[in-house]
Amino acid sequence: MGKLQGKVALVTGSGRGIGRAIALKLASEGARVVVNDLDAEPGDAVAAEIQAMGSDAIAINGSVSEAGFADRFVGAAVEKFGGLDIIVNNAGYTWDSTIQKMTDEQFQAMLDVHLVAPFRILRAAAEPIRIFAKKEAEAGQEVFRKVVNISSIAGLYGNAGQASYSSAKASLVGLTRTLCKEWGRYKVNVNCVAFGLINTRLTQPIEAQQKTIDVAGRDIKVGVQPQMLDAMARMIPLGRGGTPEEAADAVYLFCSPESNYVSGQVLVCGGGLIL
Ligand SMILES: NC(=O)c1ccc[n+]([C@@H]2O[C@H](COP(=O)([O-])OP(=O)(O)OC[C@H]3O[C@@H](n4cnc5c(N)ncnc54)[C@H](O)[C@@H]3O)[C@@H](O)[C@H]2O)c1
């Protein structure tokens, strides 16, 4: 029996990359998973992959920044699975420029996806969590719930070209610490994992041509110059970027019963990188 048997986990942006690895990891420990992605095809595929493993999953696709998304997402967990135990705010992307070239749209888009969306999802979860926690307290049970917000070393230390992204990821730490204080009474552990360099499509090497990803119809440039990736690998004590599975393992630490007395913390998962 897995350590998360019967738990209900919600993971945003879980159609690809780190989010996908988190959803599969939690499912492998017995959690029922509400998958989400901006793009329905990878979102549905991950839900199907989890079902094929013998676990329960549904996909609630769409942008986490969409009006009404938070209620739809949280509502689906409660209606379909009758619970709400783990929330991982992972969905996101980068849209970089130096500050003199950064548009208002670009700055706002990063705040919307990395900060406002987690805020709305957690606000939507507040009432069901309060109700579940009240019933458990009345029955004399102590049941721990888990929130893991995904930040970045760019949010902790800044990163040239990422004024918008690093501002949003830094603010997510403030949201994490505040909810740790508001939700301790409901036995919710609220923590952050800040990634260093994890090998996904956001950090793929830029070969001859700059790569782009389609985010809701906009072509966003992503990727890192190979010489920059080499320089980063030299700075990382463990000598390389992490895999999505290694990133998911760090998130799992904060979802497991072993972290029941840990809250309001930021765990850096970066192969030892300290800037
Ligand atoms: N890869 C890294 O090195 C790194 C480092 C630090 C932090 N992070 C953070 O980790 C998280 C996951 O990134 P990744 O590297 O796995 O990227 P990824 O592009 O591989 O996966 C992210 C997924 O989120 C989805 N997504 C994007 N915007 C969305 C939205 N508005 N609504 C719903 N889904 C949306 C994408 O479609 C994609 O499937 C992000 O929050 C990112 O900022 C990544």
Side-chain angles (χ1 to χ4, degrees):
M1 195 161 114
K3 289 207 169 176
L4 305 179
Q5 205 62 45
K7 301 285 185 195
V8 178
L10 296 86
V11 187
T12 65
S14 46
R16 295 187 188 86
I18 299 167
R20 171 178 175 273
I22 295 168
L24 294 176
K25 175 71 185 177
L26 301 183
S28 75
E29 288 293 329
R32 294 171 285 167
V33 185
V34 184
V35 172
N36 151 265
D37 206 276
L38 178 63
D39 303 320
E41 204 180 312
D44 289 344
V46 171
E49 210 174 335
I50 293 172
Q51 287 160 357
M53 288 161 61
S55 290
D56 273 338
I58 49 165
I60 302 296
N61 294 314
S63 173
V64 292
S65 304
E66 227 172 67
F69 172 78
D71 289 328
R72 192 159 66 87
F73 188 48
V74 169
V78 176
E79 279 153 35
K80 169 83 180 168
F81 295 133
L84 188 61
D85 299 288
I86 297 167
I87 300 174
V88 184
N89 280 306
N90 164 81
Y93 60 99
T94 48
W95 192 5
D96 299 347
S97 290
T98 50
I99 195 161
Q100 65 273 21
K101 292 188 191 151
M102 190 169 283
T103 62
D104 285 355
E105 184 195 7
Q106 219 171 335
F107 195 84
Q108 193 60 50
M110 290 294 96
L111 293 186
D112 285 346
V113 71
H114 293 287
L115 178 64
V116 178
F119 154 70
R120 287 185 182 151
I121 289 167
L122 297 173
R123 182 178 59 183
E127 186 57 7
I129 285 177
R130 188 190 67 77
I131 293 168
F132 286 128
K134 187 165 179 265
K135 280 195 193 133
E136 288 150 5
E138 282 166 1
Q141 296 168 331
E142 200 174 45
V143 176
F144 289 89
R145 291 189 165 74
K146 312 284 184 176
V147 172
V148 186
N149 292 322
I150 302 304
S151 187
S152 163
I153 54 168
L156 303 183
Y157 307 112
N159 193 23
Q162 294 195 316
S164 51
Y165 178 78
S166 58
S167 300
K169 290 297 200 190
S171 301
L172 196 54
V173 175
L175 179 64
T176 301
R177 294 203 165 123
T178 295
L179 278 201
C180 153
K181 293 184 177 179
E182 290 189 10
W183 284 4
R185 76 180 79 164
Y186 303 136
K187 311 289 175 192
V188 185
N189 305 108
V190 189
N191 292 295
C192 235
V193 175
F195 294 123
L197 176 67
I198 307 297
N199 300 323
T200 68
R201 65 179 188 156
L202 296 185
T203 54
Q204 61 190 304
I206 300 169
E207 309 293 355
Q209 224 187 333
Q210 172 102 48
K211 301 265 173 46
T212 61
I213 57 168
D214 173 11
V215 179
R218 273 190 314 234
D219 268 345
I220 306 281
K221 288 181 182 158
V222 292
V224 184
Q225 294 296 342
Q227 58 273 32
M228 177 69 89
L229 284 174
D230 290 345
M232 284 178 84
R234 279 195 297 276
M235 283 166 66
I236 297 170
L238 291 178
R240 59 169 176 79
T243 64
E245 290 70 28
E246 288 168 328
D249 285 346
V251 172
Y252 169 71
L253 296 176
F254 281 145
C255 299
S256 70
E258 282 81 357
S259 62
N260 281 354
Y261 202 63
V262 181
S263 197
Q265 301 305 305
V266 181
L267 173 69
V268 176
C269 172
L273 186 64
I274 300 166
L275 296 175

